[in-house]
């Protein structure tokens, strides 16, 4: 009898311990699932503050495709009327950023509110890259192409649901976002009227994570150019003190576009506005058409030029990159009217 009682007590203790362990595992699994859901399902994560309150709506969306799902944010200026077909600027953030932070750093929404255009901010998932970097380099595995397809799906949603003009779409990126923007422009040149790279690596210099670092350091061999005659015009902005992405990548990007268009260097000038950092601007033209514009900024590191000091990857001492990009993009939009 005592032996049976001892066995029963032992079984109860075992079951109690098992329930405790199971509970811990379930709580940990639930926490992990919620954390993962925050990166792929709108509404689960805490909504970040509106980066441009009073200027328009900050809408959320979700793009899906063979490569999974990606959230995105859309800035829609106040006052747009039914039936209006505004142009669209696609903004791809850099590593360690999200749409709200990128919007605050670039202040592109202010321009959009003034100029009556939509701004799309696709968001990279931590599940796809722990640092939220777009996988621009991973072309050998197809991950880069999969993410590019998700960004195109987000663009299609905005054109369908919010009336964006498909004939006036420009794509802009910083760092990893710049690499993805350039890749998209070369893969689907018919979808974009202009592309702007800020501190990024051009296509063809890396095919995997193992070669990405070499490309960022400017040590990759020059890329072969194939079928690039129809690429949209390019604006490259780069700081010559960038310790993350070598300044030689900016020249390589301009070289690629110039070769693809059969353009030559026709203008090289130094500019400085007020007390902001000086810059050298080089244009590559074929006839009267500018295929690429290279802007190299003296003393600028790996940061959005002219952005607010309180934001990460932002330098207020540089010339206003957002203004430069808008002037560049607006010319292309105007030609499509």
């Amino acid at each position: 009898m005592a032996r049976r009682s001892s066995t029963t007590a032992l079984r109860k203790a075992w079951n109690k311990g098992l329930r405790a362990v199971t509970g811990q595992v379930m709580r940990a699994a639930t926490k992990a699932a919620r954390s993962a859901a925050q990166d792929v399902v709108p509404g689960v994560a805490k909504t970040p503050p509106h980066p441009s309150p009073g200027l328009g709506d900050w809408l959320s969306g979700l793009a899906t495709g063979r490569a999974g799902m990606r959230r995105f944010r859309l800035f829609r200026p106040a006052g747009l009327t039914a039936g209006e077909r505004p142009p669209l600027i696609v903004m791809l953030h850099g590593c360690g950023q999200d749409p709200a932070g990128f919007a605050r750093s670039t202040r592109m929404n202010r321009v959009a509110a003034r100029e009556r255009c939509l701004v799309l901010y696709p968001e990279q998932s931590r599940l796809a890259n722990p640092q939220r970097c777009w996988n621009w380099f991973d072309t050998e595995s197809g991950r880069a192409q999969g993410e590019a397809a998700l960004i195109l799906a987000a663009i299609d949603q905005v054109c369908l649901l919010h009336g964006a003009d498909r004939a006036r779409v420009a794509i802009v990126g910083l760092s990893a976002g710049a690499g993805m923007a350039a890749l998209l422009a070369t893969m689907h040149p018919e979808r974009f009227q202009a592309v702007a790279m800020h501190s990024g690596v051009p296509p063809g210099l890396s095919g995997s994570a193992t070669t990405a670092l070499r490309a960022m350091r400017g040590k990759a061999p020059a890329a072969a150019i194939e079928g690039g005659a129809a690429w949209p015009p390019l604006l490259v902005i780069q700081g010559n003190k960038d310790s993350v992405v070598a300044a030689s990548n900016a020249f390589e990007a301009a070289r690629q576009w110039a070769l693809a268009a059969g353009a030559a260097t026709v203008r090289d000038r130094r500019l400085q506005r007020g007390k902001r950092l000086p810059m050298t601007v080089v244009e590559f033209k074929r006839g009267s058409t500018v295929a690429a514009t290279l802007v190299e900024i003296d003393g600028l590191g790996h940061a959005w030029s002219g952005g607010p000091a309180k934001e990460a990857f932002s330098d207020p001492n540089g010339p206003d990159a957002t203004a430069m990009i808008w002037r560049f993009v607006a010319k292309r939009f105007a030609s499509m009217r």
Side-chain angles (χ1 to χ4, degrees):
M1 188 73 177
R3 185 175 181 180
R4 181 179 298 175
S5 177
S6 176
T7 301
T8 301
L10 183 61
R11 185 182 293 114
K12 287 182 178 178
W14 169 262
N15 289 337
K16 183 178 180 181
L18 182 61
R19 285 194 299 271
V21 172
T22 302
Q24 291 175 2
V25 172
M26 289 300 293
R27 285 192 294 273
T30 301
K31 183 178 180 181
R34 286 175 177 170
S35 177
Q38 288 179 357
D39 270 349
V40 296
V41 181
V44 174
K46 292 182 179 179
T47 303
H50 193 320
S52 312
L55 295 180
D57 298 321
W58 185 241
L59 308 173
S60 63
L62 182 70
T64 62
R66 294 175 61 184
M69 298 182 289
R70 294 295 185 277
R71 293 190 298 174
F72 64 81
R73 289 282 177 172
L74 177 70
F75 175 75
R76 182 180 176 86
L80 289 182
T81 59
E84 190 171 350
R85 299 200 48 87
L88 174 65
I89 300 177
V90 183
M91 299 288 289
L92 300 181
H93 64 75
C95 299
Q97 293 184 311
D98 61 14
F102 196 38
R104 290 192 302 269
S105 178
T106 62
R107 294 182 278 209
M108 186 60 78
N109 292 352
R110 294 186 185 181
V111 174
R114 184 185 72 229
E115 303 294 343
R116 303 177 69 81
C117 65
L118 301 173
V119 189
L120 171 64
Y121 297 88
E123 181 174 356
Q124 177 62 306
S125 166
R126 288 194 186 94
L127 298 178
N129 188 292
Q131 302 302 319
R132 290 189 182 272
C133 306
W134 294 101
N135 293 301
W136 56 271
F137 50 83
D138 212 352
T139 54
E140 291 177 1
S141 71
R143 291 180 67 193
Q145 294 89 331
E147 291 181 1
L150 287 170
I151 294 168
L152 289 178
I155 294 171
D156 288 338
Q157 275 197 49
V158 172
C159 291
L160 178 64
L161 301 178
H162 299 278
D165 187 352
R166 289 182 180 274
R168 294 186 292 161
V169 180
I171 189 162
V172 180
L174 171 66
S175 191
M180 181 58 74
L183 181 65
L184 263 164
T186 56
M187 289 174 57
H188 304 280
E190 74 285 354
R191 299 292 300 268
F192 304 101
Q193 287 304 309
V195 55
M197 298 176 63
H198 195 317
S199 310
V201 178
L205 302 188
S206 175
S208 66
T210 57
T211 58
L213 187 59
R214 183 176 62 180
M216 291 168 65
R217 291 174 175 172
K219 296 181 179 180
I225 305 302
E226 297 180 3
W231 290 353
L234 170 72
L235 172 64
V236 192
I237 300 173
Q238 176 70 47
N240 65 7
K241 295 298 183 182
D242 193 329
S243 61
V244 178
V245 175
S248 59
N249 282 296
F251 178 80
E252 170 61 16
R255 185 194 73 87
Q256 288 185 14
W257 256 255
L259 284 177
T265 305
V266 297
R267 199 173 182 189
D268 181 345
R269 62 191 189 278
R270 292 276 293 174
L271 297 173
Q272 184 171 14
R273 294 184 170 90
K275 295 182 179 180
R276 292 183 181 249
L277 298 173
M279 57 184 172
T280 301
V281 180
V282 184
E283 290 183 341
F284 298 80
K285 282 188 174 182
R286 180 177 181 180
S288 60
T289 302
V290 179
T293 303
L294 171 61
V295 178
E296 186 174 80
I297 302 169
D298 291 357
L300 181 70
H302 195 68
W304 188 270
S305 183
K310 63 181 180 180
E311 296 297 331
F313 309 107
S314 180
D315 187 344
N317 297 313
D320 191 341
T322 302
M324 284 191 280
I325 289 170
W326 173 250
R327 287 193 296 268
F328 166 72
V329 167
K331 289 180 181 179
R332 293 296 300 171
F333 287 167
S335 70
M336 300 305 296
R337 287 186 178 276

